[in-house]
Amino acid sequence: MREYDIVIIGGGPAGLAAAVSARENGIESILILERDDRLGGILNQCIHNGFGLHTFQEELTGPEYADRYIRQAKQLEIEYKLNTMVMDIRPDRTVTAMNKTDGVFTIRAGAVILAMGCRERARGALNIPGYRPAGIFSAGTAQRLVNIEGYMPGREVVILGSGDIGLIMARRMTLEGAHVKAVAELMPYSGGLKRNIVQCLDDYGIPLKLSHTVVDIKGRERVEGVTLAEVDQNSKPIPGTEEDYPCDTLLLSVGLIPENELSRGMGAVMDPATSGPKVNESLETSIDGVFACGNVLHVHDLVDHVSKEAAAAGRNAAAYVKGSRTVKNGGGKAILLTAASGVRYTVPSTVRPEQMEDSLTVRFRVDNVYRGRCISVYFDQERVSRRKRPVMAPGEMEEIVLTKEQILGCPELETIRITVEDE
C-alpha cells in the first residue's frame, strides 16, 4: 500500500487549485486521482470566455483557465493518475481505486480532499410525460458533443431550465446555426447569472418563458415537438395555457447535483440543502482529515470562487497533515452557522474560532428573488451587521466575511444566524 500526505479526488478546477495550494504550503507528497483522460474537468468543454476575471484579472475561456492550473501543477511536479476511478474511501482515509495500468490498488492518505464536482439532473428526475425518443440531451452533454466531439445535437431546439449551462448552450447552438425557439423555466425567476441571460438570450432574441414547463414530448423515434404550459404557484400546469413548439431537440438544464456517492459511502454528514457534506471553517467534513471543496461541496456559479475555496481546502489540509491544527474533536468549541428566513444554506455550517484564520468567507444562496432587502448577521440574538442588497436571486451566490477577532469577542456565542430582512 502506497502512502501520500494528501490524496485529491478529482482533477478539475477544484482539485488542481487544492493541489497547487497544498504544495505551496509545504506538502511534497500529493496525488491527484482523475477519472477522465485529461486534467481540467468540465472546463475542457467550456470554450466560451468569461472565466478568470477574479483569479487572473483577465478574461479567459474554460480550457485557458484550466491550462493555467495544469501548468502550475506540472511545474510543481504534482503527481496525478488519469483514467482512474475511485471506488471507495474509508473513514481511516484508505482510498481504493482502479485503472488499466495498476488494476485495483489502495492508498493510505494523511488527508483526503474531495473535489469530484457535480453532475446534471437527468430527465428521469422530472417525470415529463411522453415517449423516449432520440433528441433529448442534458445541456452539458450537448455542450460536449458540439465543443469537443464536433456533432450538432439538432437544428430546431427548445431548452427546459435556465441554469447557466442551458443559457450558454442557447447561445452556442444559435452560433452553430440552430434555431433556439424558447427557454422554459419552471420557477418565476431564472436559475442563471444575470449576465448570461443578457448575453445568451436577450442579445440573440431568444425568449425566456418563466413559470413554464414541458408537459408533453411528441415523437417516437425522434423528437418532433414539445408542449409547454404555464404553471401555478404549486408548479402545477394550468389547463388552457399549452403551446406547441415543433422541434427536433430538447435540451435539459434542470439543476446540478454534487457527486457525493463516495462522501456518503464513507459516512460523512450531508447537508440536504446543498446535497454536499457539512463542513467546518477549515472545509473539513465530519470525517477527521477529509476536506471538501468546489461543486462537490455546493454548486458554484463562478469557477473563480471554486479556485479560491479549493485553495483554502489545500491550505487547511496541509496544516492538518503538518499537525499545526488540532484534530476536529479537540479543536475547541464549535459555533453553529444557521440559515434563517430567505437563506437556503450556509457554507461552512460550523466554525471553531480557535481554528479559523483571521477572516472567514461564508457563502450562501437566497431562496427567492429579493429587491431592496438586507442581509443581516446575528450573533445569537444580537444583530452585528446589516448590508443592503439592491437585488438578490437564487442563481447568484452571496457571501459575508466574519473575522476571528469579532467572534472571539463574544465568548458565550452559540449561534451565528444569517437572514434576509426588510430595510
Side-chain angles (χ1 to χ4, degrees):
M1 183 186 296
R2 294 197 61 183
E3 295 189 2
Y4 287 86
D5 286 337
I6 295 178
V7 173
I8 299 170
I9 317 300
L16 289 167
V20 169
S21 176
R23 174 58 57 86
E24 291 175 343
N25 281 273
I27 302 300
E28 294 296 324
S29 175
I30 302 171
L31 176 65
I32 300 173
L33 299 176
E34 168 58 47
R35 67 184 178 186
D36 207 347
D37 60 0
R38 69 188 77 178
L39 296 172
I42 196 66
L43 291 181
N44 290 319
Q45 67 185 52
C46 299
I47 65 173
H48 53 280
N49 59 7
F51 301 91
L53 292 171
H54 298 274
T55 305
F56 299 109
Q57 286 73 55
E58 59 180 306
E59 195 170 29
L60 304 171
T61 65
E64 288 173 331
Y65 186 97
D67 185 63
R68 297 286 179 96
Y69 277 100
I70 293 170
R71 287 175 180 268
Q72 289 183 51
K74 290 181 176 178
Q75 288 170 357
L76 293 170
E77 298 182 344
I78 295 172
E79 188 178 347
Y80 59 90
K81 288 181 180 291
L82 302 177
N83 297 304
T84 300
M85 178 67 72
V86 176
M87 298 180 292
D88 181 60
I89 308 173
R90 296 179 185 174
D92 66 356
R93 301 184 298 280
T94 299
V95 179
T96 303
M98 67 177 296
N99 59 35
K100 291 181 180 179
T101 303
D102 304 305
V104 178
F105 59 95
T106 56
I107 299 168
R108 183 65 184 272
V112 172
I113 299 178
L114 305 175
M116 294 89 74
C118 59
R119 66 176 183 269
E120 294 180 281
R121 184 174 280 111
R123 176 187 174 173
L126 304 180
N127 296 321
I128 300 174
Y131 293 101
R132 298 294 186 263
I136 303 174
F137 302 88
S138 69
T141 298
Q143 185 181 58
R144 182 178 180 91
L145 288 172
V146 174
N147 294 345
I148 293 182
E149 307 295 340
Y151 294 107
M152 274 294 285
R155 293 292 177 181
E156 299 290 323
V157 183
V158 172
I159 299 176
L160 175 61
S162 62
D164 287 313
I165 303 175
L167 297 175
I168 289 165
M169 281 309 295
R171 176 179 64 184
R172 188 77 183 100
M173 295 292 286
T174 301
L175 292 174
E176 288 296 328
H179 178 206
V180 179
K181 296 190 170 183
V183 175
E185 170 57 55
L186 179 69
M187 304 302 292
Y189 50 80
S190 171
L193 294 171
K194 178 65 176 178
R195 74 182 191 194
N196 284 335
I197 298 171
V198 173
Q199 295 173 4
C200 300
L201 299 187
D202 296 350
D203 288 356
Y204 295 90
I206 300 171
L208 173 61
K209 301 181 75 66
L210 300 175
S211 298
H212 279 72
T213 191
V214 173
V215 295
D216 191 24
I217 299 173
K218 296 178 171 61
R220 286 178 177 266
E221 299 301 321
R222 174 82 192 197
V223 172
E224 297 174 0
V226 300
T227 302
L228 301 182
E230 190 175 354
V231 299
D232 59 22
Q233 293 181 343
N234 297 316
S235 298
K236 300 296 183 183
I238 301 173
T241 63
E242 297 85 359
E243 295 178 276
D244 291 329
Y245 286 80
C247 62
D248 60 18
T249 304
L250 174 64
L251 300 187
L252 305 177
S253 178
V254 290
L256 299 170
I257 304 170
E259 288 268 22
N260 272 298
E261 284 72 22
L262 290 172
S263 312
R264 282 187 287 267
M266 68 190 304
V269 175
M270 308 300 290
D271 186 338
T274 63
S275 298
K278 290 189 175 184
V279 295
N280 60 26
E281 77 298 326
S282 300
L283 300 175
E284 185 181 26
T285 70
S286 60
I287 308 296
D288 186 33
V290 177
F291 300 78
C293 59
N295 285 346
V296 79
L297 178 57
H298 60 131
V299 176
H300 293 63
D301 42 24
L302 295 178
V303 72
D304 302 80
H305 292 162
V306 168
S307 298
K308 185 177 180 180
E309 183 178 271
R315 187 168 59 248
N316 293 329
Y320 177 89
V321 169
K322 292 188 289 187
S324 56
R325 288 181 187 269
T326 56
V327 297
K328 171 174 57 61
N329 293 329
K333 172 186 174 182
I335 297 168
L336 186 64
L337 271 163
T338 63
S341 177
V343 178
R344 286 188 55 227
Y345 67 84
T346 67
V347 173
S349 55
T350 58
V351 55
R352 302 165 300 172
E354 293 84 356
Q355 303 303 314
M356 69 180 284
E357 298 177 342
D358 291 338
S359 63
L360 173 68
T361 299
V362 179
R363 294 191 170 93
F364 59 93
R365 290 185 187 271
V366 294
D367 61 7
N368 210 328
V369 176
Y370 296 101
R371 301 182 185 277
R373 302 287 185 91
C374 295
I375 289 292
S376 295
V377 180
Y378 286 82
F379 281 12
D380 290 332
Q381 301 304 314
E382 179 185 358
R383 187 169 65 198
V384 296
S385 72
R386 181 180 175 88
R387 177 167 58 106
K388 184 177 179 181
R389 297 283 286 117
V391 180
M392 293 180 287
E396 303 204 25
M397 194 175 295
E398 301 286 335
E399 63 181 44
I400 61 162
V401 176
L402 301 174
T403 66
K404 186 171 185 174
E405 180 182 13
Q406 183 185 25
I407 297 177
L408 288 176
C410 302
E412 303 301 320
L413 180 61
E414 298 287 339
T415 303
I416 298 172
R417 179 163 49 95
I418 303 173
T419 184
V420 175
E421 293 183 329
D422 293 329
E423 290 187 66

